[in-house]
Amino acid sequence: MSAKVWLVGAGPGDPELLTLKAVRALHAADVVMIDDLVNPAVLEHCPNARIVPVGKRGGCRSTPQDFIHRLMLRYARQGKCVVRLKGGDPCIFGRGSEEAEWLGVRGIEVELVNGITAGLAGATNCGIPLTLRGVARGVTLITAHTQDDSSLNWSALARSGTTLVVYMGVAKLEDIRSSLMTGGLDSRTPVAMIENASLPHQRELRSTLTSMYEDALAFELKSPAILVIGEVAAAGGSWKCTDTTVSTQPENKQVIRRGR
Ligand code: SAH
């Protein structure tokens, strides 16, 4: 493959959830710039590439996005095949399109490659159908964390009749609960919280809107985790996904259910 930048989704963690296209790009890469949330196990597909960690813990705290942009540009202009590897999908709360745009206007060829986003992976892995005939007509992906602290229209979300999947919500559980309850969502609405989705140490907590905050505290829920809020969040549990890396260490997988 010639010099270009591939903005690739690495999926939620389980290396088997990589796409074939992501694997092909990794094989071709000279340089792989990797985010914190990417499971390093996926790097087995690029044994000869230079690996450059560029997550927040990668030593570029001050102006990370600008630093990342310039580094991608420099490598691409050197004629290298660059893979920018991001957790989940590059365009779901992942700045993939911003990076593509920045490179594109500077004449760099860019390709975006889908990854399985954490919200979809976590739910499916726990047997939760995000849409369900007669129960949930849609699904809304939202982030509880905004750059400018602007607020979501929580009452519209509460009335939407769609399943809500919340990213980056662990530190905002109390606010999310009160916003949704004020917006009119039933306090008994089921909530599932899935930490480290698809990884061997995945943990899953089932609760309700009214007690999600206290239950999460007791469970010591940690980031990265996604929240699934809606009637469907009570589903699953009578069977478990076994054909993933999760099954290799089932003793690590923790499932806690709290009553409705
Ligand atoms: N582009 C990513 C999301 C990046 S935002 C994607 O499509 O998945 C980071 C947030 O994603 C985390 O705070 C968490 O809410 C969620 N997340 C990422 N990986 C996760 C995982 N393995 N398990 C649970 N949540 C995860």
Side-chain angles (χ1 to χ4, degrees), residues 111-214:
E111 185 119 12
L112 279 156
V113 180
N114 280 118
I116 297 181
T117 189
L120 305 191
T124 300
N125 205 280
C126 294
I128 298 171
L130 292 177
T131 62
L132 186 61
R133 243 177 338 146
V135 179
R137 288 183 177 181
V139 52
T140 309
L141 308 185
I142 52 184
T143 174
H145 178 90
T146 53
Q147 215 168 23
D148 56 0
D149 257 348
S150 59
S151 185
L152 286 162
N153 186 342
W154 288 102
S155 46
L157 289 168
R159 283 182 276 105
S160 68
T162 69
T163 305
L164 306 179
V165 178
V166 185
Y167 290 66
M168 294 173 264
V170 175
K172 300 262 173 116
L173 292 173
E174 238 181 331
D175 295 345
I176 294 167
R177 170 176 64 187
S178 66
S179 304
L180 286 173
M181 283 176 60
T182 308
L185 192 61
D186 190 325
S187 62
R188 292 163 301 180
T189 303
V191 177
M193 295 168 249
I194 305 145
E195 179 187 292
N196 286 307
S198 86
L199 287 159
H201 46 293
Q202 171 176 311
R203 295 197 309 152
E204 164 192 348
L205 170 64
R206 304 295 185 111
S207 179
T208 57
L209 187 59
T210 190
S211 47
M212 62 189 255
Y213 174 64
E214 290 75 15

Side-chain angles (χ1 to χ4, degrees), residues 1-233:
M1 280 181 219
S2 58
K4 81 181 190 184
V5 177
W6 294 74
L7 297 166
V8 178
D14 180 349
E16 289 194 320
L17 293 179
L18 272 178
T19 65
L20 294 175
K21 199 162 188 174
V23 169
R24 182 162 67 86
L26 283 169
H27 272 299
D30 300 307
V31 182
V32 177
M33 295 173 56
I34 178 172
D35 267 353
D36 284 337
L37 279 177
V38 173
N39 183 355
V42 304
L43 300 177
E44 71 169 87
H45 297 291
C46 51
N48 301 318
R50 177 188 297 185
I51 309 299
V52 183
V54 289
K56 288 198 187 88
R57 280 163 262 158
C60 46
R61 213 175 279 268
S62 47
T63 52
Q65 199 55 42
D66 189 50
F67 175 82
I68 292 165
H69 283 159
R70 289 177 190 289
L71 198 57
M72 287 191 292
L73 183 65
R74 190 188 326 151
Y75 284 130
R77 286 197 172 149
Q78 287 169 0
K80 297 205 161 61
C81 177
V82 183
V83 167
R84 169 87 173 98
L85 196 56
K86 292 165 170 285
D89 186 277
C91 291
I92 301 291
F93 308 123
R95 296 185 160 188
S97 64
E98 286 171 44
E99 294 182 5
E101 191 73 26
W102 194 92
L103 292 163
V105 297
R106 285 159 181 84
I108 303 295
E109 195 185 349
V110 179
E111 185 119 12
L112 279 156
V113 180
N114 280 118
I116 297 181
T117 189
L120 305 191
T124 300
N125 205 280
C126 294
I128 298 171
L130 292 177
T131 62
L132 186 61
R133 243 177 338 146
V135 179
R137 288 183 177 181
V139 52
T140 309
L141 308 185
I142 52 184
T143 174
H145 178 90
T146 53
Q147 215 168 23
D148 56 0
D149 257 348
S150 59
S151 185
L152 286 162
N153 186 342
W154 288 102
S155 46
L157 289 168
R159 283 182 276 105
S160 68
T162 69
T163 305
L164 306 179
V165 178
V166 185
Y167 290 66
M168 294 173 264
V170 175
K172 300 262 173 116
L173 292 173
E174 238 181 331
D175 295 345
I176 294 167
R177 170 176 64 187
S178 66
S179 304
L180 286 173
M181 283 176 60
T182 308
L185 192 61
D186 190 325
S187 62
R188 292 163 301 180
T189 303
V191 177
M193 295 168 249
I194 305 145
E195 179 187 292
N196 286 307
S198 86
L199 287 159
H201 46 293
Q202 171 176 311
R203 295 197 309 152
E204 164 192 348
L205 170 64
R206 304 295 185 111
S207 179
T208 57
L209 187 59
T210 190
S211 47
M212 62 189 255
Y213 174 64
E214 290 75 15
D215 285 350
L217 279 185
F219 187 74
E220 296 182 8
L221 184 77
K222 295 200 178 53
S223 183
I226 52 129
L227 320 177
V228 180
I229 304 172
E231 287 305 318
V232 295

